[in-house]
Amino acid sequence: MSDVSTEAAAPESTSFDAAQRRSRQIEAELLTDAGKYRMLTGDRPTGRLHIGHYFGSLANRVRLQDLGVDSWILVADYQVITDREGVGPIRERVLSLLVDYLAVGLDPARSTIFTHSAVPALNQLMLPFLSLVTDAELRRNPTVKSELAASQRPMSGLMLTYPVHQAADILFCKADVVPVGKDQLPHLEQTRVVARRFGETYAPVFPQPDALLSEATNILGTDGVKMSKSRNNSIEIGMTADATARLIKRAVTDSDRHITYDPEQRPEVANLLLLASLCTDRSPQSWADEIGDGGSGRLKAVVTEAVNATFAPIRARRAELEADPGYLVEVLAAGNARANEVADATLDEVRAAMGMVYDLA
Ligand code: TRP
C-alpha cells in the first residue's frame, strides 16, 4: 500500500471533475445500454422518508430501474447504529421504508430489495476490506467528519469504518454505478480504493464503481431549514392530504406580499415555489409570475394542491401495501435470498483470491 498518501493528496476538485465526467458519460450510455450496468444504493431505516428524499433520490432510482439498469436497493439496518444508540423500532421502520420504495415505483421483479442483517457474507467482506485501508485515510474522509459532527457523539469504530462497510455494500454484488449526491463522493472514492487495492494485493475480483451524480434538489422544510424529523417540518411521503395541508399552512414565508422567485433574498418563498415546480413540471419563476399579488396564502394553496396531487397515487398505493404485510415480508425474503446467493459467491471468490481456502482433512 505504498500509494496510500499520494492518492489521498490529489486535490479534491480534480477527483470531483473526474467523477463528474464519468457520471455524464455513463448517463449518456444508459440511454442505449442500461442493461450492462448494475446499480446499488440504499437508505438507513431511521424514520419515515419525506418528499425531499423522493425528489432527491427515489425518483431517480425508479428512472434508472425503468431504463433497465439492474437495480439493487439496500435497507441498511445494521448501519442505523453508526450514529446512534440502538436500532429503534426496526421492524416497523424496515417495513415502512419498503412500503415507500414499492409505492414510488420500485418493482421487486426488477429491483432486488434486501436488508444488511440478513446477508452475513456481505458483512464478512468487511474483514479483508478493513485490512486494505488506513486509519489516517478514514479519519480525513470528509463524509465521516460531517456525519460525526451531525451525530454529536464521540467517534465509534463503526462510524470511523462506515466507508468500508459501504464498500462491502457496493462490492458484494459488484455494482458498477452508485447514484449519490456530491456529499457522498468521498465514501464512493473509498470504495474505489478498496476495490483497486484488493486487485493489486490479491486478484482483480471487483470493478471500481462510478458515481452517478444527481443534481442537488435541495428542498428545505416548511420552516426554511433542512427537513428533519425533530423540527417537525418535513412533508412525509406517507402523510395524509390533510396533514400536508396543515403543515404547508404553517410554513414560514416573509412579509413581502408580492410573490417573487429569489432564492438568495427570499429562501422560504423560493423553497415553496421550488416544491410547486417539482410537482408540476413548471418552473418556479412561472409559478411566481402567476401567483404575484396573490401573496403567501395563494402560494400555499398552490403548493398544497401540487404536492397532494403528485403524491395521491403514491399514498393510495402505500395504503394498499400497508394492508398486506404478508406481501411485504415475501418481497424482502426474495430479495434477501437473491442477495445471499450473490454475497456467498463473492465471498468464495474473495477467499480463493486470498489463498485462504484450505482443507484440514
Ligand atoms: N449511507 C447512505 C445513507 O446515508 C446509505 C447507504 C448505505 C448507501 N450503504 C450504501 C448508499 C451504499 C449508497 C451505497 O443514507
Side-chain angles (χ1 to χ4, degrees):
M1 287 203 294
S2 55
D3 57 345
V4 169
S5 56
T6 48
E7 71 205 352
E12 227 181 277
S13 60
T14 317
S15 61
F16 176 67
D17 291 346
Q20 194 165 47
R21 238 185 350 264
R22 285 196 305 267
S23 173
R24 291 203 178 117
Q25 269 166 14
I26 294 170
E27 279 291 352
E29 230 178 305
L30 286 178
L31 299 179
T32 53
D33 216 357
K36 79 175 205 205
Y37 287 101
R38 176 172 284 183
M39 135 176 114
L40 181 126
T41 184
D43 303 278
R44 298 187 306 146
T46 52
R48 293 165 67 104
L49 294 184
H50 52 65
I51 65 178
H53 293 122
Y54 179 79
F55 290 112
S57 75
L58 294 175
N60 190 41
R61 291 179 201 173
V62 175
R63 178 185 69 97
L64 294 167
Q65 168 197 273
D66 291 350
L67 279 171
V69 175
D70 178 16
S71 304
W72 291 63
I73 312 291
L74 163 66
V75 177
D77 54 0
Y78 261 148
Q79 289 173 358
V80 170
I81 50 172
T82 43
D83 65 352
R84 69 198 68 202
E85 198 174 293
V87 295
I90 191 74
R91 183 175 195 275
E92 180 190 318
R93 287 184 177 167
V94 167
L95 292 180
S96 150
L97 194 55
L98 178 63
V99 166
D100 282 331
Y101 287 165
L102 300 176
V104 301
L106 289 174
D107 169 7
R110 291 175 292 161
S111 289
T112 304
I113 306 173
F114 67 101
T115 56
H116 259 152
S117 61
V119 189
L122 180 164
N123 292 290
Q124 200 176 319
L125 290 176
M126 184 85 171
L127 219 142
F129 288 0
L130 279 170
S131 76
L132 298 169
V133 302
T134 67
D135 120 287
E137 71 193 337
L138 293 173
R139 278 181 201 282
R140 66 175 168 250
N141 181 309
T143 315
V144 170
K145 281 189 195 167
S146 64
E147 283 168 354
L148 178 70
S151 80
Q152 297 183 308
R153 304 178 75 215
M155 179 81 96
S156 72
L158 190 62
M159 174 63 91
L160 183 65
T161 56
Y162 195 179
V164 187
H165 201 211
Q166 285 209 20
D169 297 342
I170 295 166
L171 296 179
F172 96 92
C173 67
K174 303 184 185 178
D176 40 25
V177 292
V178 183
V180 287
K182 194 179 168 198
D183 60 313
Q184 292 276 319
L185 266 185
H187 273 356
L188 192 63
E189 193 50 41
Q190 187 70 66
T191 296
R192 292 169 59 84
V193 167
V194 166
R196 197 183 62 237
R197 286 190 193 145
F198 191 91
E200 288 162 359
T201 310
Y202 302 111
V205 170
F206 300 108
Q208 287 189 51
D210 280 306
L212 280 180
L213 283 163
S214 43
E215 293 303 321
T217 10
N218 241 337
I219 304 179
L220 303 172
T222 47
D223 55 358
V225 183
K226 186 176 153 67
M227 278 200 192
S228 87
K229 210 166 55 170
S230 55
R231 300 188 65 94
N232 226 347
N233 66 351
S234 318
I235 306 172
E236 291 164 2
I237 294 172
M239 234 172 204
T240 63
D242 282 350
T244 304
R246 281 197 299 276
L247 197 61
I248 295 174
K249 200 165 213 161
R250 279 198 349 240
V252 177
T253 52
D254 56 39
S255 56
D256 186 347
R257 204 181 141 67
H258 186 75
I259 296 302
T260 54
Y261 182 59
D262 185 349
E264 289 289 313
Q265 300 298 317
R266 308 184 70 184
E268 299 92 351
V269 168
N271 183 55
L272 290 173
L273 288 166
L274 175 64
L275 252 180
S277 154
L278 287 167
C279 292
T280 54
D281 253 334
R282 267 179 66 175
S283 71
Q285 185 64 57
S286 86
W287 274 119
D289 294 345
E290 182 174 322
I291 297 164
D293 286 327
S296 60
R298 179 80 198 116
L299 171 61
K300 289 177 181 181
V302 164
V303 174
T304 302
E305 199 193 308
V307 170
N308 281 340
T310 300
F311 288 92
I314 292 172
R315 287 164 170 173
R317 176 101 182 96
R318 234 191 157 277
E320 282 169 28
L321 288 159
E322 270 176 338
D324 194 355
Y327 172 69
L328 301 175
V329 169
E330 255 173 52
V331 167
L332 272 186
N336 286 339
R338 172 115 204 273
N340 269 307
E341 237 173 74
V342 168
D344 288 344
T346 301
L347 184 60
D348 283 348
E349 254 185 282
V350 160
R351 295 183 53 171
M354 294 170 70
M356 62 172 299
V357 178
Y358 57 92
D359 194 339
L360 288 180

